[in-house]
Amino acid sequence: YEVLNLIGVGAMGAVYRARDLGLNRPVALKAMLPRWAEDLRGRALFAREGRAAASLSHENVIRVYAVGERDRIPYLVMEYVE
């Protein structure tokens, strides 16, 4: 993924506008903030959010494309909507 710019920061994560280089499409990439990445409860909440969002399929809910981890920082890759 190529990170383009920061969209916003919340309590546990930051969301970036990014490009999926493999599929050549815009995505939103939500990465857990480093201060939470070592907190097991925080990681569990982040993972639960990803699983819950990925289980939904509705035109008014943003789709989750992928979940992963890089340098011990969990992230979600989601549909980008302006």
Side-chain angles (χ1 to χ4, degrees), residues 14-35:
V15 179
Y16 301 88
R17 186 171 64 92
R19 174 153 298 284
D20 180 332
L21 298 174
L23 297 173
N24 192 32
R25 67 179 171 188
V27 294
L29 191 147
K30 181 177 184 178
M32 182 176 249
L33 295 174
R35 69 176 177 257

Side-chain angles (χ1 to χ4, degrees), residues 46-74:
F46 195 84
R48 185 171 43 199
E49 174 189 344
R51 284 192 307 271
S55 72
L56 301 174
S57 178
H58 188 275
E59 64 185 37
N60 295 330
V61 176
I62 290 178
R63 290 180 285 169
V64 174
Y65 295 139
V67 296
E69 187 174 300
R70 183 168 180 182
D71 299 328
R72 298 193 42 84
I73 303 292

